[in-house]
Amino acid sequence: MLPVEWVTSLRSGIDRISAGGIRAILLNLYLSDSQGIQTLDKLFSIESHIPIITLSDIGHEEEARLSILHGAQDYLISTHIDIAYLSRAIRNVLERNLVKEDRLLERERAVVTLNSIGDAVISTNIDGNIAYLNKVAERMTGWSHTEAIGQPFTRIFRIIDGVTRQELPSPLDMAIEKNMTVGLSRNTVLIDRDGAEVSIEDSAAPIIDLAGRICGGVIVFHDVSEARAIMHKMSHLAQHDYLTDLPNRLMLSDRLVQSISLARRHNKKLALLFIDLDHFKHINDSLGHLIGDKLLKSVAQRLLTCVRDSDTVSRQGGDEFILLLSEIDQDSDAGSSAAKILASLSEPYCIDEHNLNITLSIGISVFPGDGEDGETLLKNSDAAMYHAKESGRNNFQFFKKDMNELTIEMQSLESSLRLALSRKEFFLHYQPIVNLQTGAITGAEALIRWRHPTRGLLYPKQFIPVAEKSGLIVPIGQWVLHEACRQAKSWQNAGLLPTPVAVNISAAEFRSPDFIAGIRAILAETGLEPRYLEIELTEGVLVQDVELSLARLREIRTMGIHLAIDDFGTGYSSLSRLSQFPIDSLKIDQSFVHDIVSDVSDAAIVSAVIGMGNNLKLRVSAEGVETKKQLAFLQARQCDEGQGLYFSPPIDADAFARLCSTTNSAYLIN
Ligand code: C2E
Ligand code: MG
Ligand code: MG
């Protein structure tokens, strides 16, 4: 039995309710201090949770029904009340309230849940108007729950395709239309109320009511900007070189395929430029990878300034870069680009206080003449680059049909070169260096030869470039130094005129960290005094890294070893620039000497070099002296020394010894 309390005025009723413990209210609409439906309204305004049953007199049925609309749970007409009826009505109301409270609780729990998850949730009614959005959705769309309710879904949830920037259709419409869950398209970007964009991902689904009818839709989404950024970064990494950020091999082949099909369609040509830095390895070996890396980055930057936006500059790894010049009109366009690149990249680089100079070798292949597909074009540009190296580096070469055979030959040469040292296939010839005034032999230049097991006798030009490219030049050079020093000492022991032996040194040897220690060890082992050794270096080797060259030369000079600049005139350095190096002699390249008698400008150059060399107190030597006239020219200009077929070709050690012991000094210059 429920306890019942009676009050007679609205005021006292409100007081009692405020005191708590009331579960249901039986309200007579006609009280001493309030009458009619407003009695209910007043009560309701202070307490809306406790169920109210109104009591009306007969004749006020209309008012009783109105009370339901104003929030009452039920009404009773006073004439119809009996105890059983009353208690049933109250029980009903209480039970209904319990259910309502349960639902409210459930709803509250759902709202809390939806607000706690990381995903944004928006639901709509069947008309496509917003029925609900959770806190994350509020934040992501920029619309508050209260502002958004009742608004069309597409106003709150604006999405575009991040790539095409096209507006996307409402995924909810689609879900409702198809009556199934649909995923958002891959590049969906949500535009919030302020126009800010965020990448999103997720799905939309219809809401089905208990009767199985679609009564709205729900979309769940979340921010994937970070994940998408990571994905972009990863795909960028996969297609770009980590050091220079240039496209890598993978991306180049993609671009190549596209460019070939474009060129084919537009009846145009395209060119591949295979670029390899000359002697880059020495910079890495001598100055360290950090400086090497910085240099590669600068090279990459310069390359980018040499091409159009539509061209692709890629790095293949190491010191190799490949340029794709898309849609050129004629082959010579590629030649002009190559010339421009050669000029731009050979400007000095200042890296961590080192002044570095580099040159490059470029091979060019052109579509469609040199290949119809990317792979062939790449292979042929590589072969052409190899030939640019062979042709003295610092130049570009167009691919020619016979280059591949030559490249293969070079490769096979490299494998036999690896075995040549252990098989003792190398030997040295010596060419006398002659005093042009007295005819006395003042030195011998050691020149390497290779007795190849199948190809016969090979000269340096045929294998030194391969040895340099493969790095084999370092052990080979060590062998030459050792053999030349041993021979010089043995001539001295035999009582022959002690003369210095000159040894040619490649850049890789000179820059190798063990170079100086190697020389010391060889001198100690062979017992040759340092003053009987002369080292020949070309200008290119010295100016590659001036600081390092200077340091090394000073050390060599301090040991008492002589230094000569070989092939002088073929490099790009001026004599004044070379004068900063502690050198003893200059060897004028044979290409100048060859035409001194017939070519006025060669004659002028040689005369000037002799004059300047004398002024700088350098010994000047002329290479490739073949005729009496040349000799006379050089003698007249006070050239100190000469070397060439006119005096003697390079000969073996025994022949050299015989030449020294039998020659009276004037014989050679007459
Ligand atoms: P190089 O140091 O300028 O040597 C002189 C070259 O001129 C030698 O060629 C010699 O045979 C050749 N020659 C001598 N007299 C005359 C002449 O009157 N007319 C003409 N046209 N040529 C003459 P070789 O022996 O074929 O050597 C070529 C180059 O290979 C050398 O040029 C040198 O740079 C390099 N080389 C030779 N031996 C070695 C070596 O042991 N180590 C290194 N790193 N390079 C070497
Ligand atoms: Mg030489
Ligand atoms: Mg020379």
Side-chain angles (χ1 to χ4, degrees), residues 171-474:
L172 270 186
D173 286 354
M174 239 183 305
I176 289 172
E177 192 189 308
K178 294 185 178 162
N179 191 11
M180 61 184 281
T181 303
V182 295
L184 300 187
S185 71
R186 213 156 57 93
N187 295 309
T188 306
V189 169
L190 173 74
I191 302 180
D192 79 3
R193 199 176 182 176
D194 298 328
E197 299 184 3
V198 55
S199 300
I200 59 166
E201 187 177 88
D202 233 318
S203 60
I207 300 176
I208 316 288
D209 68 11
L210 291 172
R213 287 176 307 236
I214 297 177
C215 63
V218 60
I219 180 159
V220 182
F221 55 97
H222 57 263
D223 183 346
V224 290
S225 312
E226 213 168 294
R228 224 169 263 173
I230 291 174
M231 211 176 72
H232 275 138
K233 197 167 173 202
M234 280 170 67
S235 87
H236 183 91
L237 282 177
Q239 295 189 313
H240 289 79
D241 164 46
Y242 71 97
L243 181 69
T244 59
D245 206 36
L246 291 178
N248 63 12
R249 192 184 295 261
L250 198 74
M251 191 158 178
L252 177 79
S253 29
D254 280 356
R255 295 249 177 109
L256 196 50
V257 170
Q258 286 168 12
S259 294
I260 288 176
S261 77
L262 257 171
R264 200 169 270 144
R265 215 176 312 143
H266 297 166
N267 221 4
K268 291 258 190 179
K269 296 181 162 194
L270 68 83
L272 273 190
L273 271 60
F274 200 116
I275 301 175
D276 191 289
L277 309 190
D278 296 333
H279 305 304
F280 176 73
K281 197 175 169 301
H282 315 326
I283 291 181
N284 250 354
D285 288 349
S286 57
L287 298 176
H289 287 266
L290 229 54
I291 291 195
D293 284 355
K294 285 185 183 171
L295 180 62
L296 287 173
K297 281 190 200 169
S298 306
V299 166
Q301 284 310 312
R302 280 202 203 167
L303 277 175
L304 285 171
T305 62
C306 293
V307 299
R308 298 170 301 178
D309 285 348
S310 53
D311 298 330
T312 301
V313 179
S314 73
R315 178 168 172 243
Q316 298 293 290
D319 59 349
E320 288 177 354
F321 295 84
I322 293 184
L323 250 69
L324 164 61
L325 307 181
S326 47
E327 299 212 18
I328 56 167
D329 292 319
Q330 51 212 8
D331 295 16
S332 59
D333 293 348
S336 320
S337 289
K340 189 172 156 195
I341 289 166
L342 279 175
S344 161
L345 270 67
S346 61
E347 290 289 317
Y349 298 78
C350 183
I351 308 233
D352 289 356
E353 291 161 17
H354 292 273
N355 273 320
L356 304 178
N357 287 284
I358 53 161
T359 57
L360 15 139
S361 303
I362 306 180
I364 306 174
S365 65
V366 180
F367 167 88
D370 300 334
E372 299 260 354
D373 60 277
E375 203 180 318
T376 313
L377 287 167
L378 272 169
K379 195 180 83 190
N380 290 345
S381 63
D382 190 8
M385 188 279 292
Y386 208 91
H387 285 267
K389 293 258 180 220
E390 294 313 299
S391 325
R393 300 188 161 84
N394 196 16
N395 72 109
F396 66 87
Q397 296 284 326
F398 279 96
F399 174 73
K400 293 190 201 75
K401 293 274 180 283
D402 62 357
M403 281 183 175
N404 274 326
E405 292 148 36
L406 286 169
T407 307
I408 292 166
E409 191 183 311
M410 284 297 176
Q411 278 158 1
S412 88
L413 205 61
E414 183 179 326
S415 41
S416 47
L417 197 57
R418 286 186 189 283
L419 303 169
L421 265 180
S422 58
R423 290 186 186 165
K424 300 194 179 356
E425 289 165 0
F426 294 121
F427 62 96
L428 296 182
H429 270 175
Y430 299 88
Q431 187 172 33
I433 298 167
V434 177
N435 180 314
L436 295 188
Q437 307 306 323
T438 64
I441 293 173
T442 55
E445 179 174 6
L447 296 160
I448 190 169
R449 271 84 183 100
W450 179 14
R451 203 175 288 110
H452 191 280
T454 54
R455 292 168 199 235
L457 182 62
L458 297 184
Y459 287 88
K461 274 204 174 67
Q462 295 166 279
F463 63 89
I464 290 285
V466 182
E468 285 175 341
K469 188 162 195 260
S470 60
L472 287 168
I473 190 69
V474 176

Side-chain angles (χ1 to χ4, degrees), residues 1-4 21-26 49-53 72-74 85-103:
M1 191 62 192
L2 287 164
V4 178
I22 301 299
R23 292 186 54 202
I25 301 166
L26 200 60
H49 292 313
I50 305 172
I52 301 172
I53 301 171
Q73 297 268 317
D74 205 351
Y85 188 77
L86 180 63
S87 53
R88 194 167 61 239
I90 289 174
R91 226 180 1 257
N92 280 346
V93 163
L94 284 174
E95 273 171 14
R96 228 182 297 146
N97 206 44
L98 270 178
V99 171
K100 199 172 129 200
E101 271 175 8
D102 269 3
R103 281 213 191 118

Side-chain angles (χ1 to χ4, degrees), residues 427-429 431-432 445-449 458-465 468 473 476-477 479-481 502-507 509 536 538 566-567 587-591 594 623-627 630 643-650:
F427 62 96
L428 296 182
H429 270 175
Q431 187 172 33
E445 179 174 6
L447 296 160
I448 190 169
R449 271 84 183 100
L458 297 184
Y459 287 88
K461 274 204 174 67
Q462 295 166 279
F463 63 89
I464 290 285
E468 285 175 341
I473 190 69
I476 294 173
W479 177 85
V480 174
L481 259 170
V503 176
N504 294 286
I505 303 291
S506 288
E509 298 172 67
E536 292 191 8
T538 59
D566 201 358
D567 304 345
K587 299 184 75 172
I588 304 172
D589 191 67
Q590 50 181 268
S591 60
H594 191 262
E623 299 187 280
V625 181
E626 294 178 353
T627 65
Q630 290 167 343
Q643 183 181 346
L645 299 180
Y646 183 78
F647 312 112
S648 161

